[in-house]
Amino acid sequence: MTDHRQGPVRSEAARLAILEATARLFMSKGYDHLTMEGIAAEAGVGKQTIYRWWPSKGDVVADCLLDGLLLPDSLRPPETGDIRADLVDWITGIFHVLARPDGEGLLRSIIAAAAGNADVGRRIYSSLGATSSMADRIRKAIHEEGLAVDTPIEEVGEAIVGAVILRALSRSTIEEAGARRLVGALLG
Amino acid sequence: MTDHRQGPVRSEAARLAILEATARLFMSKGYDHLTMEGIAAEAGVGKQTIYRWWPSKGDVVADCLLDGLLLPDSLRPPETGDIRADLVDWITGIFHVLARPDGEGLLRSIIAAAAGNADVGRRIYSSLGATSSMADRIRKAIHEEGLAVDTPIEEVGEAIVGAVILRALSRSTIEEAGARRLVGALLG
Amino acid sequence: MTDHRQGPVRSEAARLAILEATARLFMSKGYDHLTMEGIAAEAGVGKQTIYRWWPSKGDVVADCLLDGLLLPDSLRPPETGDIRADLVDWITGIFHVLARPDGEGLLRSIIAAAAGNADVGRRIYSSLGATSSMADRIRKAIHEEGLAVDTPIEEVGEAIVGAVILRALSRSTIEEAGARRLVGALLG
Amino acid sequence: MTDHRQGPVRSEAARLAILEATARLFMSKGYDHLTMEGIAAEAGVGKQTIYRWWPSKGDVVADCLLDGLLLPDSLRPPETGDIRADLVDWITGIFHVLARPDGEGLLRSIIAAAAGNADVGRRIYSSLGATSSMADRIRKAIHEEGLAVDTPIEEVGEAIVGAVILRALSRSTIEEAGARRLVGALLG
DNA sequence: CAATAAGCGAGACGGTACGTCTCGTCTTGCT
DNA sequence: AGCAAGACGAGACGTACCGTCTCGCTTATTG
């Protein structure tokens, strides 16, 4: 006996409408002001259809992250051949896109989501891991730019991202000089 | 002439009761489940007395932080004379106190508060600045332990704290080896 | 085509619980001390369920009136065959039941409700109209007791009820002699 | 020893400011939306100064009535020599001034005040009594217009006023024909 | 090819908390 | 002592969402 139950299967249209509505509302209102009822209305979907598949709004957001509906590709560090300059660019770039001290900073919203929902937290973290674009960039620097072979790739990545998060939380910015000092200290 | 008005003056008893109730509830339930009504009830105070002086629960929490009602003294790094070992101890220690992956991690609650409230964010950040215990510890290492004079004190502090925050958000831990790699990369 | 919507239908149980709770509280505490929160609590119902169907407490009370939950049947005048004696009995009887000068006089509460809510006012008035028991009683007197055919039924009824209301508002009573004078003047 | 206490005596300026503010607000917002705080603010007076002298807003309104700040003189029936026509005029006139079915009907507000406050109720009633302008008018008709000597003056007055109150509560009007029927029934 | 059972939209339900308003009391400093 | 000002504990207001629960409709599988 297979475990096919009778009746219709999950509606892909509803799933997509929910995720897209969530992404839309998340970016326009932030995580705190995101509500299940708002998502349902925006998606033209019954509330039960959300609750049937996700236990909480945090989990819907986590799925949005997974589908790449929340974070832009600009998060990938540039590759000019100068690892230090590239990382400095990446850091200062973040604040233009995600973490402006004013406004409803998207990055702060994601941090709030991660603080409130384990799945979101783990998801974000795993996107920084050994297979992330940041790690790739550092590995490339080791092979092609003579960066020290024993550079602890993951720790360096986490330190950089962590510093950015801290600045986002404090509603301040990292100016270029500060970013250079940070990268300098980390990469020797 | 000063601007002394006539009429009753702010009740210090109410102010204290509110801050203490807030700290108590914050630690037992976390930031998300902290409510203005709960604080008022716990403090034995009318809601209006809270709203009269603080615009939102985030601001009450910010004042709790300022009064030292939320964070323990164990946040001060040890001073054994070995800066690297002390920082590693501090990092791994944090997770025993504040950021256990299970439970309502106090640190995650503070992060949520900071993400949702600018004052909390700035308050936390300023407690890491040039006058913080972390900066003091690094400065001491420069003077007494031969740490490189050009070590960027603030950036190193932020990288460490940021890495801790990132791990707290991801519900993971920094084991000693990882902490050592991080400190090693930062202090050369 | 009828306008049948899909989805759940109004809960009759909730409707009844609300009206009964309202009647209970109205009679024990009076209109002024009746609160939406009190009704909701007494009925075991969410406040929104009340606000969904009635815009104000006055309208809930109006529905109670309509359902006969507030006024007893003793408001029907007796029919002994002597219209004057019956009306005098009715008037003096009212004060024993509804308008005792002390206490939270039910009649005064209904007047307050009518003053504050158009629906209640209209409802009470329409229960005095051409189809009321008072009008029926007077009509019967015209047919069977030789009361003047041109007696203005509605005006007489309103004058009597109005005089009762006025006495209720003034916290006084109509003793039998006064009632007899009033009825005498009205019915010639 | 006399019972002169030390300290300032009651401020007549404050008393007047309160009564005038009350009358102003009563007429613009109605009894229900009249608040002690609103009166104090409008009068430029501390709340305690009101509570020191009046136990509730109803009592302040009662004093306003007593001082004639609420009801206009147009309540006096005309004296053309035709008692029936004069009373009909008076009745229909009331609705132009006080009891228009739309709007915040001043008369309904006074009824609400009387329903909620014994003093207001008694005050209104006593202004209808043996010494009232209505009674005077009827007495004059007995002496000068040949109205029956045994006309029960007070009961007739109360029936008329009561009928008006009832119509005010029901948000309806008395048109001239109805008023004439009522007066006809009462005065024979 | 019914019968059946799940997914779906809509939205009512019992609740909790929001932020505001007003109550009646109390406190302060001035007159 | 009276007063203007206004903070205080209390609690109701009307609204927004929560997560659960019917409804009546549509759709796929299974006997």
Side-chain angles (χ1 to χ4, degrees), chain D residues 82-94:
Chain D
D82 177 349
I83 178 70
R84 289 173 183 76
D86 287 353
L87 289 181
V88 168
D89 275 4
W90 183 85
I91 293 170
T92 55
I94 290 280

Side-chain angles (χ1 to χ4, degrees), chain B residues 23-159:
Chain B
R24 216 147 45 229
L25 293 172
F26 186 101
M27 289 190 286
S28 67
K29 301 165 121 83
Y31 183 73
D32 295 9
H33 298 101
L34 187 67
T35 68
M36 289 300 236
E37 298 214 328
I39 296 171
E42 173 84 12
V45 138
K47 284 202 288 176
Q48 196 56 51
T49 300
I50 309 184
Y51 283 109
R52 188 155 24 233
W53 304 108
W54 294 277
S56 72
K57 72 170 176 171
D59 297 86
V60 187
V61 169
D63 266 15
C64 282
L65 272 172
L66 199 63
D67 280 25
L69 294 171
L70 290 182
L71 291 176
D73 281 344
S74 61
L75 292 184
R76 179 174 301 277
E79 310 197 2
T80 65
D82 179 350
I83 178 70
R84 288 172 183 79
D86 286 354
L87 290 180
V88 169
D89 274 5
W90 184 85
I91 293 169
T92 55
I94 290 281
F95 287 89
H96 290 26
V97 183
L98 299 179
R100 287 196 299 281
D102 56 326
E104 277 300 328
L106 178 56
L107 180 53
R108 273 195 302 282
S109 249
I110 290 176
I111 295 169
N117 183 276
D119 241 32
V120 175
R122 276 190 286 266
R123 207 83 94 190
I124 287 178
Y125 183 70
S126 73
S127 76
L128 292 172
T131 63
S132 74
S133 57
M134 170 79 75
D136 286 345
R137 182 65 191 83
I138 300 177
R139 252 191 301 272
K140 195 181 170 209
I142 293 176
H143 293 142
E144 303 179 8
E145 303 175 35
L147 188 64
V149 190
D150 62 348
T151 306
I153 298 176
E154 297 213 1
E155 279 75 17
V156 167
E158 285 176 41

